[in-house]
Amino acid sequence: MIPVSPPPTGYADHMTTTTAPPTTSPEEIADAVRSARAAQLGWASVPPADRAGMLRAAAAAVRAHTDELATTLESETGRPAASGREGVLAGASTLDQYAELGPLHRGKSLQGSPEATDFMIPEPRGVVVALTPWNDPVAIACGLLGAAVVTGNTVLHKPSERCPRTGELLGQIMSPHFPDAVLATVTGGGDIGALLASSPEVDVIAHVGSSETGQRIAAAAARTGAKVLLENGGNDPLLIDADVDPEWAAEQAALGAFANAGQICTSVERIYVHTAVAPRFLEALCARAAAWNEHPQPLVDARQRAHVHDHVADAVDHGARVLVGGHIPDGPGATYPATVLTDCLPQMRVLREETFGPVAPVRVVPDFDTGLDEAATGEYGLAATVLTGSMDHAQRAWRTLPVATVKINAVFGGAPGGAAQPRGRSGNGFGYGPELLDEMTTVKVVHVRSAPCPSSH
Ligand code: NAD
């Protein structure tokens, strides 16, 4: 979701915030759920075009507050405001998109016999809880909130505890455009998220975040019967074929692994490079990593940095070589250098788990098929990239890789409105695009048949 930027130049010492983050109490959560439930039928009876009009006004308000949202996010997560602005504008566009699509969302009709018609109508599911992460919080929240409210649901949004003020600000900007209790923001950590996820009054739990949390939410929803929509972590491979320019491959690899300090759900997490181009590719990747390290972007916090460094240390313990970076620097903030590792082995955590930091672990493979086999392994199934000049290899890759999105010859990109279904630990359902309207609704079939004419005697 994060728009691609060149290497960041800003440095925010965002670790210095001292005031306690806002937290909603369990009693207030119960009240908020009750209010959302009470408001839902009234909101569902508002004509779709009117709901869309309110959403359009909310989108304009978000756009008008772009700078404020981006600087608040920078102060909380260290993401440079210039890059944060792109996320806010992407979020506002998504709200506009759902304002257009919402009133057009409809089912099909069937004529089963000459006297009867069946029609399928989407209805709101009820109360939606949206649990969102910190790495692109405005864009992600806008997608879920827009699709949920335009289809007639009421929504409780809980932003990440790592950016609660950004989430609250988004709520203050958007919610006045809707009737009371249609869109409310609550704050707190995983315990508050868990409270919402276990409420029997909640109909949909939409979670964008880590796979571990997604599994806990799915378990809670199995008890209440709520629908679960999960967009979770990834361990995306980049596969580099023998026939590509190694300089260009290195540019793509660096962008994929280091943009936003590697904190993008579809960051490049592991690299399989054909032996024919490996030496020149590694040399070029190291040069690019060194360039990124001239303007390091901090990670979200020291906890995340410790997690990233654990992966690097585990790789080194098992025989990987650090070519660039790989150490915790002195100084304030949670900076971690762009890091290049080689001689990586499949069992290393850095290849098996999501690192979510600026680390490019490289494995040299003897041929394309070996790389494709290794890229296809693992528990996650979010996205994968293949750089190749061979149409045959590209076709084989997109047919066989068990992931939601396969990108050929570009680490980032994709048409606006695109949506795919993650596999394995990466989640399930459509978290984006027009299909998200289907996820936020449930279909009723109405069968209408003419009554027989009254008998004449
Ligand atoms: P996280 O799962 O820790 O937190 C996300 C939200 O879930 C937060 O609001 C959090 O408070 C809440 N939460 C935590 N524990 C909970 C529980 N037990 N019950 C209910 N809610 C709970 O994730 P994060 O660290 O904020 O985000 C980073 C992760 O998000 C990475 O794994 C990244 O890949 C993933 N992500 C995925 C996508 C995608 O589209 N697939 C997009 C962005 C980020």
Side-chain angles (χ1 to χ4, degrees):
M1 285 293 292
I2 291 179
V4 175
S5 313
T9 53
Y11 178 85
D13 189 7
H14 63 284
M15 312 294 290
T16 53
T17 307
T18 48
T19 48
T23 300
T24 310
S25 71
E27 296 72 30
E28 289 167 329
I29 292 288
D31 280 350
V33 173
R34 266 193 296 275
S35 301
R37 167 66 60 203
Q40 199 271 318
L41 281 182
W43 177 237
S45 67
V46 172
D50 294 352
R51 295 199 296 254
M54 295 179 215
L55 189 56
R56 230 174 255 117
V62 169
R63 213 171 265 117
H65 288 83
T66 300
D67 288 340
E68 206 181 337
L69 283 161
T71 50
T72 306
L73 182 62
E74 178 170 10
S75 73
E76 291 190 304
T77 68
R79 180 176 174 182
S83 151
R85 281 177 56 84
E86 294 175 37
V88 175
L89 293 174
S93 298
T94 309
L95 293 174
D96 276 334
Q97 200 178 67
Y98 286 124
E100 285 300 311
L101 292 172
L104 306 180
H105 189 232
R106 62 189 184 278
K108 57 187 176 186
S109 64
L110 302 166
Q111 203 164 12
S113 71
E115 327 61 55
T117 301
D118 286 21
F119 51 92
M120 299 161 72
I121 39 172
E123 295 185 331
R125 286 183 176 270
V127 175
V128 174
V129 162
L131 302 163
T132 55
W134 48 268
N135 68 321
D136 198 10
V138 177
I140 289 171
C142 283
L144 295 177
L145 306 186
V149 294
V150 83
T151 45
N153 300 282
T154 51
V155 183
L156 292 169
H157 174 215
K158 196 201 80 62
S160 166
E161 56 275 30
R162 280 154 149 169
C163 58
R165 291 179 182 85
T166 307
E168 278 197 326
L169 181 58
L170 181 66
Q172 285 158 13
I173 293 166
M174 287 184 67
S175 56
H177 295 278
F178 301 98
D180 272 357
V182 167
L183 174 55
T185 308
V186 296
T187 50
D191 53 337
I192 294 295
L195 199 60
L196 286 164
S198 61
S199 167
E201 290 295 321
V202 167
D203 301 290
V204 178
I205 309 160
H207 171 251
V208 182
S210 69
S211 301
E212 292 71 25
T213 303
Q215 282 175 333
R216 282 189 206 114
I217 288 170
R223 287 189 286 274
T224 65
K227 178 189 167 65
V228 179
L229 180 63
L230 300 176
E231 291 289 329
N232 292 159
N235 187 21
D236 295 4
L238 167 66
L239 178 53
I240 299 167
D241 208 351
D243 61 352
V244 302
D245 173 6
E247 277 287 341
W248 169 68
E251 179 191 329
Q252 289 289 305
L255 185 64
F258 306 146
N260 204 39
Q263 301 167 120
I264 303 175
C265 55
T266 52
S267 286
V268 167
E269 288 271 334
R270 48 193 174 125
I271 299 172
Y272 302 95
V273 59
H274 195 290
T275 186
V277 289
R280 285 180 55 208
F281 166 75
L282 277 168
E283 192 183 328
L285 181 59
C286 288
R288 288 188 177 271
W292 279 78
N293 285 336
E294 287 169 21
H295 305 288
Q297 177 186 331
L299 295 177
V300 64
D301 56 24
R303 175 157 62 100
Q304 184 63 19
R305 179 166 72 173
H307 164 79
V308 171
H309 190 61
D310 277 356
H311 276 203
V312 172
D314 172 78
V316 171
D317 283 351
H318 289 88
R321 274 188 303 133
V322 177
L323 299 184
V324 178
H327 60 276
I328 293 184
D330 295 332
T335 302
Y336 197 80
T339 294
V340 180
L341 301 175
T342 190
D343 297 343
C344 292
L345 299 171
Q347 64 270 27
M348 292 173 178
R349 290 180 67 198
V350 78
L351 289 191
R352 283 190 292 112
E353 300 171 18
E354 184 182 51
T355 303
F356 222 53
V359 180
V362 180
R363 198 160 145 70
V364 179
V365 290
D367 49 53
F368 183 79
D369 285 359
T370 305
L372 189 55
D373 283 350
E374 294 204 16
T377 59
E379 299 178 326
Y380 296 88
L382 197 57
T385 304
V386 181
L387 306 183
T388 181
S390 158
M391 183 56 84
D392 174 51
H393 284 181
Q395 295 259 7
R396 223 141 30 87
W398 69 255
R399 283 183 210 284
T400 56
L401 287 167
V403 298
T405 304
V406 178
K407 293 163 282 182
I408 307 293
N409 293 331
V411 284
F412 292 128
Q421 290 172 299
R423 322 277 162 95
R425 297 193 76 207
S426 293
N428 63 53
F430 288 100
Y432 310 92
E435 290 79 2
L436 182 54
L437 298 171
D438 298 332
E439 303 282 0
M440 293 294 179
T441 49
T442 182
V443 171
K444 177 178 281 171
V445 169
V446 181
H447 175 73
V448 183
R449 193 183 170 91
S450 313
C453 293
S455 157
S456 53
H457 43 102

